[in-house]
Amino acid sequence: MIDGFEGCGLKITATNTVFADGVAGADVMVIGEAPGADEDRQGKPFVGVSGQLLDRMLASIGLSRTESVYITNILPWRPPGNRQPTPQEIATCIPFVERHIELAAPKVLMFAGGTSAKSLMGRKEGITRLRGTWMDWPQPNAGGAIPALATYHPAYLLRSPGQKSSAWKDLLSLRRRLDEVVKNG
């Protein structure tokens, strides 16, 4: 379990390990960047203002963390001052995230923000180029691939409300792909 892992210095400064929230085994898995202050206090991902927006976004396409979505982050510990995670911190935690995805076995992945999309897809482009494009996340240990869609992080949308229309298009695309994947088994 990640609680016993001592190889990431962020664990020392964090209040809680923020592992996941939602429905284990859900068809949709949302992966963000790292916990913020509210998440660190409560021990759950996406519970602050941006989490409330994420919940409304998911509800707009008939999904919810209490019934149909599983949520986690690239990092399980809050970087001090909500700073950007370092490449080393990400590299240290990625194997845990990859295994987490494999165990959760979602039918579709949604990357909330550029950090999770770039880290898990091994891409260099920023979120404005990655968002809205379907990719296949290759399962490193299980074989096969999971369809993955990057979109803007809710925190970014709170700062840049003009981008909400792009995020809405992404959500509609997610809903269509999910319905297609579930229908075709």
Side-chain angles (χ1 to χ4, degrees):
M1 178 98 185
I2 198 148
D3 277 336
F5 181 68
E6 301 294 333
C8 183
L10 292 176
K11 184 176 180 181
I12 297 166
T13 59
T15 302
N16 283 299
T17 298
V18 180
F19 186 68
D21 192 25
V23 180
D27 289 343
V28 177
M29 186 172 188
V30 177
I31 304 173
E33 178 180 298
D38 292 326
E39 291 78 11
D40 188 33
R41 263 191 304 280
Q42 294 183 39
K44 291 182 180 179
F46 286 95
V47 293
V49 177
S50 64
Q52 293 166 15
L53 177 56
L54 176 64
D55 288 344
R56 289 192 306 274
M57 291 167 66
L58 293 169
S60 74
I61 58 166
L63 300 174
S64 79
R65 74 170 72 209
T66 59
E67 297 174 7
S68 54
V69 177
Y70 190 59
I71 303 171
T72 193
N73 285 305
I74 292 291
L75 300 179
W77 302 288
R78 177 184 181 222
N82 287 351
R83 68 163 167 73
Q84 183 78 13
T86 67
Q88 179 58 39
E89 290 163 346
I90 293 170
T92 298
C93 294
I94 281 293
F96 292 105
V97 179
E98 290 173 344
R99 184 66 178 140
H100 193 175
I101 295 168
E102 290 170 1
L103 292 171
K107 290 184 171 54
V108 176
L109 293 168
M110 184 173 90
F111 302 132
T115 300
S116 59
K118 291 190 297 186
S119 300
L120 283 164
M121 295 305 299
R123 305 285 291 263
K124 301 246 185 267
E125 303 95 329
I127 189 63
T128 55
R129 292 199 185 248
L130 292 174
R131 67 136 296 272
T133 303
W134 281 98
M135 303 169 270
D136 287 325
W137 181 74
Q139 299 183 69
N141 302 311
I146 300 172
L149 179 69
T151 192
Y152 292 122
H153 193 285
Y156 173 76
L157 294 173
L158 290 168
R159 294 188 308 272
S160 305
Q163 295 299 328
K164 287 183 179 180
S165 63
S166 295
W168 174 242
K169 290 175 187 169
D170 298 342
L171 290 168
L172 292 175
S173 180
L174 175 73
R175 181 78 251 182
R176 283 190 301 273
R177 178 61 71 95
L178 177 62
D179 290 345
E180 181 182 296
V181 169
V182 169
K183 178 182 171 186
N184 295 328

